[in-house]
């Protein structure tokens, strides 16, 4: 039995931990792939000091002056109404260390650079486009693009062409977006002497943008994995404790026969390590399946939240297996440490305990509470002084550690209060015995507390999120139908056609430009001056008549993320690099932009098209009376050959967004439920461990005339009441956790803060689940007790050794 | 109170033709083969016999902790065999005092709570008698302590006090001094005899010590499954 629980504990600990690690590893590999795309943040580069591009001559001059630079042009093009990132490179000067370039090769170079050239794409992009290698898709203007060629280590969604071709396609002749800097071979003059103040150096970053953005997500996963791992170790710990307790007589006999303590320990460790190895292997296989099952959701989350592309199948490195086994063995040894030191110091004769249980318990409680207070102080310190995501998690970790450690003290206080007010002898015994059982159950109860608190915290967060998100989505998607045309010309035709339709109440053109602000990508959104936005757009803060102030084109609304990142408040000014130079904008409002990894600002649509004349004007929102929507959509699709991706109604977009966000949190929810289950198993093993040592406690009561059934009922009541007290303690802790997640971790991780809501029904439900888990965990030992043979109880009273 | 609770007249215990066998490894071992035994109110009886002769088994059957195969056990006017499990528990609680070799006390309760435990759940607590027991057993100093803080002799004194606090018809003891040294054993047994006389209940004690057995009113020997 304890072998089974030991294995279950080790397997679930290893499985959850390594499953999470597999997911993280998988994602990291993909990010590396993304970073390998030329000009990721891992290369130092030069960019324009003002505006988004600069003249090509600067490249020639720098190159002549000995700078190891390579030109690059970046922009977006549309293929069949979908937008892709287009990178123009110059393969000859491309520094070797930026990644995929060498694979173009000498032979490939010729066909890449000479017309019609080649367009390199990831295999995923090719299948997305439903095209074969060598095909030539149609571009914006209807002209054929260079033939497609697959390059496996490219990120999906990116098209790579020769720089000349890119300049043509993007209608930016002789313009460059940036210069990548390779390893310097000789000395070169300072930048200013060659390029004046036109260019700015951006240092290489160890982390890519994507890694930085997704860090929080992975930290989140890791935190959960770690939590599950520890809860699993609780099980292992109690199983080993039980096994040791049962073997004590044998160990004593062996020692009495002259086997040295060291030898005995060596044997025990060897046994444990081989068990851990076996359990670790099974755990790894389970972990692989867990990761495989969660991967689609994780991939969807990462795509939805950060636009990161993760392939849908797992590839694991050998290190993963080794690390998994190591952690299983280390975990088992850590969990066994107490029992092993006991074995090492095992006195040959069982000696009477010098302290009564009460004194021993008081010492232990005082000690733990002192450590708990230190943990709380640390949490407060992190809260006060910390200003990063890591410190946010540190607050959470210290808070939970402190709460777990203070839990026994809390239980002790509640139970001794109960004992003080109990009058009936069985009542007094009920409380007194629960107190005495505390030390044996506390680890399992701590596991329950942590699992519950995290569950309360996360589900409160998810619920707060989905409530806020749905309201917000209603405001953001206020047009009934969204259309995205294949190109500007078609957009023009569509508009003309729509104006003739009486059911279309308004056509709201939209546009978007990509630029940079303070070293990070920035989206500039153009919104037409229309009541739809004035009435619905979700502003968090605004000056009076903010929408009117947008009209002249010198004001912007900024997203919460951007406002937090740059510490912007109403009335501040920002300088946004635009095509013709920098654009100075007044901040007149701050709006919620949940789930967007990029910073965003919203400006007047007409002003946007003036400042970024090259952006496609293919998107528009339509106000239509709801009953007329389906007919209009099918008419549009038929008339202009648009498919589902190009025309979408509001309901579908909402459903889509909601789905992405639900999937984002479904991973956490799954891990969450798992932790609660593991905590239940921990409680069960602790109760089973205690069951044997409890017989001397129960037998006298039985002999005195308390029936076994009654004893069993009392035992059940005892477990459920300590579990209940733990749950009561877990609820406020969970809400505190939720607050930390919403107000600290989320702000640091995503840049937005969510309003905090409490959901009483959900708390009630979780309390019910916890109580059900406690009842389920005590069922087996209690049934055993109720059915126990009288002889097993009688044996207690006779010294039969 | 409930039916089947006997009154304290005549013999408190009357055992006739009691049989009990155990099945171990498919083999039937007859431990008791027709035991007859009577204990009168106020009488103390020592039950002796070699190890494994079935003394404990007999005591457990009388206490209703286990069921006999055949024969009759009458406690005053109640027949133990006819009672249900719950009724036997009730009988033990209200009318019997039990003291074993070890683990008689509830570890999580103080000496004071242990002493009053049975009499309270039986609803037969008598404060004056309780005080007298504490006094005579010399436990006044230890009332707030926990069992594990007491010596073996002290623990057995608490056990005897607990058993007698309920004012039982019969005190059953299974080698109550088996874990104690000779001097302590004598002292504890003297106290028990004294208190049994005070309360006027019957006393049946299992012992393998002839010396201790000799201090009681009567000795019976269990051999080959019967009392000679
Ligand atoms: N539960 C049981 N199952 C099988 N055999 C038992 C059981 N209890 C006692 N016995 C056997 O019955 C015999 C009498 O036991 P016991 O009454 O404890 O003897 P005593 O108390 O006189 O030493 C012994 O041989 C013992 O092995
Ligand atoms: Mg015996």
């Amino acid at each position: 039995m304890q072998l089974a629980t030991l294995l279950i504990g080790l397997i679930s600990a290893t499985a959850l931990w390594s499953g999470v690690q597999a997911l993280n590893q998988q994602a990291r590999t993909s990010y590396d792939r993304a970073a390998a795309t030329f000009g990721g943040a891992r290369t130092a580069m030069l960019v324009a000091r003002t505006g988004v591009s600069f003249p090509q001559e600067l490249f020639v001059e720098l190159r002549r002056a000995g700078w190891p630079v390579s030109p690059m042009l970046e922009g977006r093009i549309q293929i069949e109404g979908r937008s892709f990132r287009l990178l123009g490179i110059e393969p000859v000067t491309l520094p070797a260390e930026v990644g995929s370039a060498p694979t173009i090769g000498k032979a490939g170079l010729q066909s890449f650079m000479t017309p019609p050239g080649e367009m390199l794409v990831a295999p995923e992009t090719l299948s997305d486009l439903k095209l074969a290698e060598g095909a030539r898709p149609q571009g914006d203007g209807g002209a054929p693009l260079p033939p497609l060629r697959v390059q496996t280590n490219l990120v999906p969604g990116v098209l790579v062409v020769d720089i000349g071709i890119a300049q043509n396609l993007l209608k930016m002749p002789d313009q460059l977006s940036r210069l990548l800097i390779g390893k310097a071979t000789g000395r070169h003059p300072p930048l200013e002497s060659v390029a004046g103040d036109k260019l700015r150096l951006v240092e290489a970053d160890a982390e890519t943008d994507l890694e930085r953005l997704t860090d929080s997500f992975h930290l989140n996963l890791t935190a959960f994995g770690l939590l599950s791992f520890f809860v699993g170790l609780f099980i292992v710990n109690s199983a080993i404790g039980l096994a040791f307790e049962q073997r004590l007589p044998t160990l004593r006999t062996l020692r009495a026969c002259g086997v040295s303590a060291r030898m005995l320990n060596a044997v025990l460790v060897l046994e444990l390590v081989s068990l851990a190895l076996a359990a670790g292997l099974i755990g790894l296989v389970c972990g692989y399946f867990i990761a495989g099952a969660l991967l689609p959701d994780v991939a969807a989350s990462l795509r939805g939240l950060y636009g990161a592309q993760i392939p849908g199948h797992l590839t694991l490195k050998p290190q993963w297996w080794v690390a998994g086994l190591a952690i299983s063995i280390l975990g088992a040894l850590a969990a066994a440490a107490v029992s092993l030191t006991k074995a090492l110091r095992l006195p040959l004769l069982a000696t009477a305990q010098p302290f009564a249980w009460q004194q021993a318990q008081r010492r232990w409680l005082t000690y733990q509470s002192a450590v708990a207070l230190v943990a709380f102080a640390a949490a407060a310190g992190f809260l006060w002084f910390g200003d990063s995501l890591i410190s946010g998690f540190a607050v959470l970790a210290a808070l939970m550690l402190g709460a777990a450690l203070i839990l026994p003290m809390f239980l002790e206080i509640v139970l001794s209060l109960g004992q003080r007010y109990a009058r009936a002898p069985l009542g007094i015994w009920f409380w007194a015995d629960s107190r005495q059982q505390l030390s044996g159950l506390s680890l399992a109860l701590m596991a329950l507390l942590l699992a519950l608190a995290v569950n309360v915290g996360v589900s409160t967060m998810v619920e707060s999120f989905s409530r806020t998100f749905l309201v917000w989505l209603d405001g953001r998607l206020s047009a009934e139908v969204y259309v995205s045309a294949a190109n500007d010309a078609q957009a023009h035709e569509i508009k003309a056609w729509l104006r003739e339709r009486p059911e279309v109440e308004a056509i709201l053109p939209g546009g978007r430009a990509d630029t940079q602000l303070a070293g990070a990508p920035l989206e500039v959104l153009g919104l037409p001056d229309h009541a739809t936005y004035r009435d619905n757009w979700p502003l968090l803060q605004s000056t009076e008549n903010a929408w009117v102030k947008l009209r002249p084109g010198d004001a912007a609304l900024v997203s919460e993320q951007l406002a937090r990142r740059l510490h912007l408040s109403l009335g501040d000014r920002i300088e946004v690099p635009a095509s013709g130079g920098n654009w100075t904008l007044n901040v007149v409002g701050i709006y919620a932009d949940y789930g967007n990894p990029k910073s965003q600002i919203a400006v007047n649509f007409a002003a946007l098209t003036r400042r970024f004349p090259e952006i496609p004007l293919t998107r528009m929102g339509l106000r239509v009376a709801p009953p007329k929507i389906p007919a209009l959509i099918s008419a549009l699709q038929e008339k202009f050959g648009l498919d589902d991706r190009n025309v979408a109604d509001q309901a579908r977009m909402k459903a889509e967004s909601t789905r992405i966000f639900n999937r984002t949190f479904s991973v956490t929810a799954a891990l969450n439920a798992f932790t609660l289950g593991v905590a239940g198993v921990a409680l069960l093993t602790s109760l089973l461990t205690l069951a044997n040592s409890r017989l001397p406690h129960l037998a006298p009561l039985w002999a005195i005339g308390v029936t076994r059934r009654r004893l069993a009922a009392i035992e059940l009541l005892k477990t459920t009441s300590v579990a209940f007290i733990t749950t009561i303690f877990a609820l406020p802790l969970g809400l505190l956790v939720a607050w930390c997640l919403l107000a600290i971790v989320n702000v640091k991780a995503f840049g937005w803060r969510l309003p905090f809501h409490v959901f009483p029904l959900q708390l009630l439900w979780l309390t019910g689940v916890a109580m059900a888990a406690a009842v389920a965990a005590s069922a087996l030992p209690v049934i055993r007790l109720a059915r126990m043979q009288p002889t097993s109880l009688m044996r207690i009273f006779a010294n039969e050794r | 109170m409930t039916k089947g609770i006997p009154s304290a007249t005549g013999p408190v215990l009357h055992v006739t033709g009691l049989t009990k066998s155990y099945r171990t490894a498919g083999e039937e071992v007859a431990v008791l083969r027709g035991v007859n035994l009577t204990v009168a109110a106020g009488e103390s009886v020592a039950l002796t016999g070699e190890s494994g002769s079935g003394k404990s088994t007999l005591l457990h059957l009388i206490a209703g902790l286990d069921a006999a195969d055949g024969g009759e056990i009458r406690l005053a006017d109640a027949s133990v065999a006819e009672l249900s499990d719950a009724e036997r528990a009730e009988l033990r609680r209200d009318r019997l005092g039990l003291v074993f070799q070890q683990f008689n006390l509830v570890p999580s309760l103080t000496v004071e709570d242990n002493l009053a435990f049975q009499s309270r759940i039986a609803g037969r607590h008598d404060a004056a008698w309780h005080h007298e027991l504490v006094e005579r057993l010399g436990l006044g100093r230890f009332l707030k302590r926990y069992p594990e803080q007491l010596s073996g002799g002290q623990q057995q004194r608490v056990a005897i006090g607990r058993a007698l606090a309920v004012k039982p018809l019969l005190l059953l003891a299974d080698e109550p001094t088996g874990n104690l040294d000779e001097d302590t054993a004598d002292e504890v047994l003297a106290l028990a005899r004294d208190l049994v006389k005070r309360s006027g209940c019957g006393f049946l004690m299992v012992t393998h010590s002839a010396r201790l057995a000799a201090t009681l009113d009567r000795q019976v020997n269990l051999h080959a499954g019967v009392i000679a």
Side-chain angles (χ1 to χ4, degrees), chain A residues 51-393:
Chain A
V52 288
S53 61
F54 53 87
Q56 194 168 322
E57 298 118 50
L58 284 172
F59 160 65
V60 183
E61 280 161 27
L62 278 166
R63 196 80 203 175
R64 254 190 226 127
W67 277 73
V69 286
S70 176
M72 179 176 283
L73 180 65
E74 178 174 355
R76 297 197 81 89
I77 60 164
Q78 304 237 324
I79 301 178
E80 295 178 7
R82 300 182 55 201
S83 161
F84 289 89
R85 195 171 146 214
L86 184 78
L87 284 181
I89 59 164
E90 205 282 297
V92 179
T93 53
L94 200 63
E97 60 271 22
V98 294
S100 321
T103 45
I104 295 175
K106 280 258 151 46
L109 212 55
Q110 194 67 24
S111 53
F112 184 74
M113 287 170 64
T114 49
E118 278 176 341
M119 188 144 78
L120 308 180
V121 293
E124 286 91 340
T125 313
L126 197 67
S127 57
D128 247 19
L129 285 169
K130 301 195 187 70
L131 288 173
E133 201 166 359
R136 302 187 64 173
Q138 295 245 314
D140 289 350
L145 297 170
L148 297 169
R149 196 160 74 85
V150 167
Q151 185 145 16
T152 40
N153 55 353
L154 216 54
V155 227
V158 171
L159 313 170
V160 179
V161 294
D162 181 71
I163 190 140
I165 299 175
Q167 286 170 337
N168 261 333
L169 287 174
L170 296 171
K171 301 182 197 83
M172 294 171 81
D174 300 326
Q175 289 287 309
L176 301 177
S177 312
R178 53 179 170 265
L179 294 170
L180 306 181
I181 307 175
K183 277 213 183 67
T185 40
R187 294 165 53 78
H188 49 73
L191 181 63
E192 285 73 21
S193 69
V194 187
D197 63 350
K198 296 197 191 78
L199 294 180
R200 187 167 58 88
L201 179 72
V202 177
E203 291 294 347
D205 229 326
E207 262 188 337
T208 61
D209 280 349
L210 211 49
E211 273 174 313
R212 218 189 342 253
L213 280 171
T214 50
D215 256 358
S216 57
F217 188 84
H218 294 293
L219 206 56
N220 200 354
L221 273 182
T222 307
F224 264 100
L226 210 59
L227 181 71
S228 321
F229 181 68
F230 281 124
V231 175
L233 284 194
F234 280 132
I235 304 182
V236 179
N237 180 284
S238 58
I240 289 176
L242 172 62
F244 180 75
E245 213 65 49
Q246 287 180 343
R247 282 197 196 166
L248 214 56
T250 322
L251 294 182
R252 274 216 179 90
T253 316
L254 281 174
R255 287 274 279 122
C257 291
V259 180
S260 76
R262 197 177 298 169
M263 173 81 171
L264 210 57
N265 246 24
V267 172
L268 288 176
V269 168
L270 199 69
E271 185 189 355
L272 194 64
V273 167
S274 39
L275 274 178
L277 216 57
L281 267 179
I282 304 176
L284 279 174
V285 174
C286 295
Y288 180 83
F289 283 113
I290 291 179
L294 291 179
L295 187 62
D297 280 339
V298 171
S301 303
L302 288 170
R303 193 164 46 244
L305 277 174
Y306 309 104
Q309 301 280 346
I310 313 285
H313 57 92
L314 276 176
T315 40
L316 293 172
K317 295 180 187 161
Q319 296 99 290
W320 179 78
W321 295 93
V322 176
L325 285 180
I327 202 129
S328 169
I329 292 169
L330 285 179
L333 286 178
V338 176
S339 293
L340 285 176
T341 45
K342 255 197 213 163
L344 202 59
R345 297 216 191 119
L346 185 69
L348 282 185
L349 299 167
T351 49
Q353 284 174 300
F355 290 108
W357 66 269
Q358 280 234 314
Q359 283 165 296
Q361 184 143 320
R362 193 159 304 142
R363 279 179 160 204
W364 165 72
L365 283 174
T366 318
Y367 174 70
Q368 279 210 335
S369 309
V371 179
L373 290 182
V374 172
F376 284 136
F382 282 124
L383 184 61
W384 202 252
F385 299 110
D387 189 36
S388 67
L389 184 59
I390 301 280
S391 73
F393 274 102

Side-chain angles (χ1 to χ4, degrees), chain A residues 364 368 407-408 437-447:
Chain A
W364 165 72
Q368 279 210 335
L407 174 72
Q437 254 181 298
L438 264 191
S439 54
L441 279 183
S442 64
L443 268 184
L445 289 174
M446 286 178 195

